[in-house]
Amino acid sequence: MKPNILLIYTGGTIGMVKDFETGALRAFNFNNLLKRIPELQLLDCNIDTVSFEEPIDSSNMNPTEWVHIAEIVETHYETFDGFVVLHGSDTMSYTASALSFMLENLSKPVVFTGSQLPIGDLRTDAKENLITSIQLASLQNNNLAVIQEVSLYFEYKLYRANRTTKINAEHFQAFASLNYPDLAESGVHLKINDSYLHRPNLNKSLIVHKRMNTNVVIIKLFPGISEVVLRSVMETPNLKGMIIETFGSGNCSTEVWFLNLLKKAISNGIHVVNVTQCAGGSVMMGHYETSSQLKNIGVISGKDLTTESALAKLMFLLGEKTSCKVFKIKYETNICGEMIQN
Ligand code: ASP
């Protein structure tokens, strides 16, 4: 039996075509996808499409839309063998990371993809991204999906979604996964790196988590950040979580005012997470003197999380109403392959 694949079109450049008379880009009706891209009929699967009523640029994505995507997967989970989410590349890593937490016990592929050029453009990267994503979502072994997690395919590489970051606004190779190896590579053959794939417990059924708490903030440290700026952020009403992008392996200023502000935030019940502003590598609190104090006052280690994943995990765990007592332990524990195990 051919696998059934559902394409979920949310918006972004991939679904736009150039009007050759005016030169302007406009979204096209995704239900006519098969007509527009006849190559899709050569694929060894049945393809169905569902589109956001009003496709959006991914800069307008937010947790409400994440839930919308999760609900589409939930509704069609039994009838489809795999899902391909077409999404603008700008915030794709945020959405895909969030979905990896929201879709607990996922055992079917959810492949995010998009493109830098519209599908109608002569030099487009959209066709290869789309066609290979569908092929990857269709792969089966003994009637079981080969990919059983949320992933992101772009420019010949399949990545674990919650390990990705958009690194380039221009190159076709727009994404990178610096802290986790590629799940698959597309060349003459599709090369699947089996040992890096996530393997869920198949006896458990899908649970879709829909409560993401948005009372959070990300602060990128910079030399010269002032007390007044940091204080005003920490005094945001109802703030529940804060991600600090620190220097190198999790280091920050040792100035007294800085540490006192953090201490106060933590004693007020705000969860403070330390991630590095480097593109790759991990936070190691206590490695330098400039991070030991963070460890001592109870800052959570984001280890090797990307900022996108750190944000999604924070919103997710806050939404699950995780108690203050176990929040740090839960946050520092790997949930779905997003962080190093130890
Ligand atoms: N601005 C677009 C978006 O993220 C870019 C893209 O589609 O890649 O929706």
Side-chain angles (χ1 to χ4, degrees):
M1 272 238 298
K2 284 186 181 183
N4 296 323
I5 303 299
L6 184 63
L7 290 188
I8 304 169
Y9 178 55
T10 68
T13 304
I14 190 167
M16 297 189 170
V17 278
K18 206 176 227 159
D19 184 316
F20 284 104
E21 277 174 13
T22 64
L25 288 176
R26 58 176 161 76
F28 77 90
N29 179 350
F30 239 75
N31 298 325
N32 290 330
L33 185 72
L34 288 177
K35 277 193 211 135
R36 284 207 161 261
I37 315 169
E39 294 96 317
L40 293 184
Q41 283 163 24
L42 301 175
L43 294 173
D44 208 13
C45 58
N46 305 311
I47 300 172
D48 232 319
T49 57
V50 40
S51 172
F52 270 23
E53 219 159 285
E54 292 204 13
I56 53 175
D57 186 292
S58 76
S59 304
N60 283 321
M61 272 284 163
N62 58 43
T64 308
E65 307 297 348
W66 299 346
V67 171
H68 188 178
I69 301 171
E71 283 176 340
I72 295 176
V73 172
E74 183 179 33
T75 308
H76 298 91
Y77 196 67
E78 292 311 321
T79 27
F80 285 87
D81 302 294
F83 303 84
V84 174
V85 183
L86 303 171
H87 192 290
S89 61
D90 290 349
T91 67
M92 194 187 295
S93 291
Y94 287 94
T95 305
S97 297
L99 266 285
S100 73
F101 294 105
M102 293 162 84
L103 301 174
E104 188 180 343
N105 303 327
L106 182 74
S107 60
K108 296 185 178 183
V110 174
V111 184
F112 276 76
T113 196
S115 66
Q116 293 281 52
L117 285 174
I119 208 151
D121 197 286
L122 264 188
R123 292 177 50 253
T124 190
D125 53 333
K127 279 193 185 175
E128 199 284 320
N129 285 348
L130 175 60
I131 288 169
T132 308
S133 295
I134 296 173
Q135 285 186 319
L136 287 163
S138 308
L139 287 181
Q140 298 205 331
N141 212 342
N142 295 328
N143 279 333
L144 283 179
V146 171
I147 318 286
Q148 300 178 315
E149 60 186 290
V150 183
S151 58
L152 188 156
Y153 182 79
F154 224 87
E155 192 63 2
Y156 305 114
K157 285 185 175 174
L158 183 75
Y159 309 101
R160 173 161 299 157
N162 55 31
R163 295 295 198 140
T164 61
T165 302
K166 185 171 181 184
I167 49 147
N168 203 298
E170 204 174 318
H171 294 170
F172 285 153
Q173 183 153 8
F175 290 87
S177 163
L178 290 163
N179 286 338
Y180 197 77
D182 307 334
L183 302 182
E185 218 175 310
S186 166
V188 173
H189 303 288
L190 283 183
K191 185 171 164 267
I192 309 294
N193 298 323
D194 288 296
S195 54
Y196 297 126
L197 296 174
H198 177 70
R199 288 290 165 236
N201 180 342
L202 296 177
N203 295 322
K204 294 188 175 172
S205 29
L206 181 75
I207 300 172
V208 183
H209 300 270
K210 301 180 186 176
R211 290 185 308 254
M212 300 296 270
N213 187 327
T214 55
N215 292 313
V216 297
V217 69
I218 300 176
I219 294 178
K220 182 173 187 147
L221 292 189
F222 56 90
I225 189 167
S226 70
E227 181 173 3
V228 63
V229 165
L230 203 58
R231 183 190 302 279
S232 73
V233 174
M234 287 179 182
E235 285 172 356
T236 306
N238 219 17
L239 188 67
K240 295 281 181 287
M242 185 161 101
I243 291 165
I244 310 184
E245 275 197 1
T246 54
F247 308 120
S249 53
N251 308 313
C252 65
S253 160
T254 48
E255 282 187 79
V256 175
W257 66 262
F258 180 79
L259 292 169
N260 282 347
L261 275 185
L262 287 188
K263 250 193 235 168
K264 189 163 169 233
I266 293 170
S267 66
N268 286 343
I270 297 173
H271 301 287
V272 180
V273 180
N274 183 357
V275 296
T276 174
Q277 53 185 255
C278 294
S282 182
V283 157
M284 291 186 287
M285 287 198 291
H287 190 61
Y288 288 96
E289 206 180 29
T290 44
S291 67
S292 303
Q293 338 77 286
L294 297 183
K295 193 174 180 179
N296 296 341
I297 64 175
V299 168
I300 298 169
S301 175
K303 299 183 186 176
D304 61 347
L305 283 177
T306 60
T307 298
E308 292 88 335
S309 241
L311 180 82
K313 191 169 185 175
L314 190 57
M315 287 184 177
F316 167 72
L317 286 178
L318 287 169
E320 290 302 293
K321 304 220 178 331
T322 313
S323 82
C324 263
K325 253 187 173 175
V326 294
F327 196 95
K328 185 170 186 293
I329 296 171
K330 280 210 168 170
Y331 198 98
E332 290 178 350
T333 306
N334 173 45
I335 297 177
C336 48
E338 77 283 3
M339 70 167 28
I340 196 166
Q341 299 281 356
N342 64 29

